[in-house]
Amino acid sequence: MDATISREEFALRFAQSHRRIFGYVRALVPCRADAEEVFQETCVVLWREFPSFRPEADFLPWALAIAFNQVRSYRHRCRRTPALFSDDFLESLEAEQRQMQEEADLRADALGGCLEKLPLPERELLSLYYRQDATAQQVADTTGRPVNTVYKALARIRRTLLQCVERQLARDSRDP
Amino acid sequence: MTDLQTLLEAACNGDLSPEQAAQLEAILRADPEARAMYLRYLALDAELALQFGHTGVEARMTQPGTITLTAPPASGEPTLSRRLPSILLRQPRGRFLESAAVVGVILALGAICAIAALVLQDRRWGNSSSGKPSEGLIATLDEFQGVVKIGEGKFDEGPAVVGMQLNGREVRVGPGSSAVLRYPDGTQLRLSLNSDVTVQTATWRPLEDGDKWVLFERGELDVEAKGGSPGHELVVHTAGKMVLRTADARFIVTEAPGGYYVEVTQGELEVKALPHLQPETVKAGACVEVTYKPVPEIRAVDPRPRRRP
């Protein structure tokens, strides 16, 4: 494959799939920082292996297979820190996660709408937490709130968003 | 035994202990509904991390003397920013000021952080000939020594070592901010406008020495590309929608409703609307609009009046 075409092809396919890949990894690696590390490693391998990818094939299953290998590799490295699911459970969870892939884009769309309905202070809190990749303690220090309040606020906002997304998906399925 | 909701929150916050992980697994094994809830919850957490710009794609650049900057890739479909929390990410100036009045405390914090940024920049460029960085300059490949995050008035600097390349570093330009990134060959990327432009190094993407590759999606990017190494070029991608390619040109690409404006002020630029259109060469003084509704199209338009940096 010509290097330039390969580069553009990869960018295009990766741009279309990276959300699903990250979501997939995130579900299999409970620790957020670790999930991001696995995602980075997955990206590196995807790029490195892309010349072996058949253009007529579906990019996402190929990418998820590589991502799962990276999850396995990460688990192998982190054996001594057992905050992980067992191997057989991970396999079954992986299968269910794959089944969820089809609705990933719908969920992302719904979440975008739900975020816009969120009150500004709550969006600001999410922004501080996710955009800066901060810990709850750092957010607490920045905002002057007790850390427990931050935890509770984040939990409440996530629950609200999840309920909003579910409502939106239910509405969309009724009125496609 | 901790309840499911608490365990899900611990997972989202990265605070899951080994004991809690075991508890969570036991619950998820026993209850399909709980498994579905776990997957939905973690999917939400992942999507929030993406929508708020943190993808965790970080430094793996190996080629010295090169830099790759990418915005977080969005869907390749021909709609722009459809999943972005636009109120946070793209506030027009008026709305921003209006919001700023409401969140004055946040702006005050931003001002403090901006002062801290200046202090830090002073410290970083303390030995340069001018003693201070030029306005808006946040990093050069030669001098950059730390993590720079400028977004909505926030500034952070992380650990660094002398001589570190600008790899794996994340640069955000918030409303009212601007920033210039300079390559050793003189190429400059100026990120500006009252939008939120997120730029990250695409560390997963090894480069050929001399090539520069940029993924851009939101806001405005003012590029002054220099020749660099012979045979190499600068390529700007817009997340599966458009490719701009040049060896030596000055141009501005601006996000616009349904596509982008590209104005070339110097040199030549190859513009290609993905996925199928043939590239068009746009010469100095010309401006094209690239739109995606209903199908990709490149057409010449009059240059729009704009504030020059």
Side-chain angles (χ1 to χ4, degrees):
Chain A
M1 198 184 298
D2 174 78
T4 305
I5 294 172
S6 170
R7 182 178 300 179
E8 293 182 3
E9 275 288 322
F10 181 79
L12 182 61
R13 290 174 190 262
F14 183 77
Q16 289 169 335
S17 304
H18 83 288
R19 288 172 182 276
R20 293 184 182 199
I21 300 167
F22 182 59
Y24 173 86
V25 170
R26 184 70 185 90
L28 302 180
V29 181
C31 172
R32 181 156 59 120
D34 291 348
E36 287 169 356
E37 186 184 325
V38 172
F39 178 60
Q40 291 169 32
E41 292 166 354
T42 302
C43 293
V44 173
V45 177
L46 286 175
W47 171 254
R48 196 174 63 218
E49 299 298 321
F50 191 65
S52 68
F53 174 75
R54 288 178 293 110
E56 69 275 15
D58 194 346
F59 181 79
L60 185 63
W62 178 77
L64 294 187
I66 287 177
F68 193 46
N69 282 338
Q70 293 307 308
V71 171
R72 283 195 181 112
S73 167
Y74 153 78
R75 288 165 59 83
H76 184 74
R77 289 197 310 271
C78 302
R79 265 185 197 156
R80 291 182 183 178
T81 53
L84 300 166
F85 297 137
S86 61
D87 288 343
D88 64 323
F89 180 66
L90 187 80
E91 299 278 346
S92 63
L93 198 62
E94 191 271 344
E96 290 191 37
Q97 221 292 331
R98 272 186 188 255
Q99 288 171 7
M100 270 190 66
Q101 289 295 322
E102 287 182 8
E103 63 178 42
D105 287 347
L106 296 175
R107 286 188 168 275
D109 280 340
L111 179 60
C114 293
L115 279 170
E116 293 193 4
K117 292 176 195 164
L118 213 57
L120 186 60
E122 297 190 347
R123 285 200 306 273
E124 289 288 347
L125 184 68
L126 286 179
S127 177
L128 276 175
Y129 184 71
Y130 284 101
R131 185 170 288 195
Q132 306 295 334
D133 193 26
T135 63
Q137 183 62 57
Q138 287 168 327
V139 173
D141 293 343
T142 304
T143 57
R145 298 183 192 184
V147 68
N148 273 345
T149 306
V150 172
Y151 274 125
K152 284 178 185 169
L154 286 170
R156 187 183 64 250
I157 294 168
R158 288 192 192 111
R159 277 200 305 274
T160 303
L161 287 174
L162 194 59
Q163 288 164 0
C164 174
V165 167
E166 298 301 329
R167 277 199 305 273
Q168 185 61 47
L169 291 179
R171 215 164 20 235
D172 289 348
S173 66
R174 280 200 309 271
D175 314 310
Chain B
M1 183 128 177
T2 315
D3 67 82
L4 176 62
Q5 186 67 42
T6 304
L7 294 171
L8 293 177
E9 278 301 316
C12 282
N13 293 324
D15 298 335
L16 204 62
S17 68
E19 294 73 26
Q20 286 179 317
Q23 281 182 26
L24 181 59
E25 178 172 336
I27 294 173
L28 299 186
R29 273 181 184 277
D31 184 355
E33 281 296 312
R35 279 201 301 280
M37 172 64 105
Y38 168 83
L39 291 173
R40 287 196 293 266
Y41 221 82
L42 271 289
L44 175 79
D45 182 67
E47 190 60 35
L48 285 171
L50 287 168
Q51 294 217 12
F52 281 94
H54 182 79
T55 61
V57 178
E58 289 184 43
R60 289 296 166 79
M61 188 105 65
T62 55
Q63 299 286 348
T66 61
I67 176 176
T68 303
L69 307 170
T70 74
S75 161
E77 294 167 28
T79 54
L80 294 175
S81 306
R82 64 196 178 97
R83 292 180 196 140
L84 297 171
S86 56
I87 292 173
L88 274 172
L89 294 182
R90 288 192 297 143
Q91 298 193 47
R93 179 177 297 193
R95 264 175 82 185
F96 175 70
L97 291 175
E98 186 183 330
S99 301
V102 179
V103 292
V105 174
I106 293 167
L107 280 181
L109 182 63
I112 292 167
C113 292
I115 292 167
L118 288 173
V119 170
L120 288 169
Q121 283 185 332
D122 268 351
R123 192 177 62 189
R124 188 186 309 150
W125 274 276
N127 295 326
S128 66
S129 56
S130 64
K132 289 180 78 173
S134 53
E135 186 179 357
L137 177 69
I138 54 174
T140 72
L141 279 179
D142 296 332
E143 296 174 300
F144 182 79
Q145 293 183 26
V147 177
V148 176
K149 290 183 180 180
I150 301 177
E152 300 187 351
K154 309 287 189 300
F155 181 95
D156 299 314
E157 185 177 49
V161 295
V162 174
M164 178 183 281
Q165 298 286 309
L166 182 58
N167 52 3
R169 303 308 175 197
E170 185 176 273
V171 179
R172 303 169 191 275
V173 181
S177 305
S178 68
V180 181
L181 299 176
R182 290 180 180 157
Y183 295 79
D185 65 8
T187 295
Q188 290 191 25
L189 304 177
R190 184 179 292 274
L191 314 166
S192 61
L193 212 63
N194 294 301
S195 56
D196 191 70
V197 180
T198 302
V199 181
Q200 287 183 312
T201 51
T203 55
W204 39 269
R205 225 194 134 273
L207 290 176
E208 293 171 26
D209 190 22
D211 275 354
K212 306 176 189 73
W213 199 68
V214 177
L215 256 176
F216 165 79
E217 189 180 9
R218 293 179 292 277
E220 181 177 288
L221 180 65
D222 182 345
V223 180
E224 188 172 357
K226 303 290 186 185
S229 310
H232 291 294
E233 56 191 2
L234 181 142
V235 180
V236 178
H237 255 271
T238 54
K241 302 182 186 74
M242 180 175 71
V243 179
L244 309 174
R245 188 186 302 276
T246 185
D248 199 343
R250 176 88 190 263
F251 63 95
I252 299 172
V253 52
T254 312
E255 182 190 1
Y260 301 91
Y261 289 110
V262 183
E263 182 178 357
V264 182
T265 55
Q266 187 181 316
E268 282 188 1
L269 180 67
E270 184 186 285
V271 180
K272 181 181 180 184
L274 293 174
H276 301 305
L277 288 194
Q278 288 297 313
E280 291 191 12
T281 300
V282 182
K283 298 193 174 182
C287 182
V288 296
E289 185 181 36
V290 181
T291 54
Y292 294 87
K293 291 177 181 176
V295 292
E297 180 188 13
I298 303 174
R299 65 189 180 90
V301 295
D302 290 332
R304 298 182 307 159
R306 67 173 74 248
R307 178 179 58 80
R308 295 289 176 190

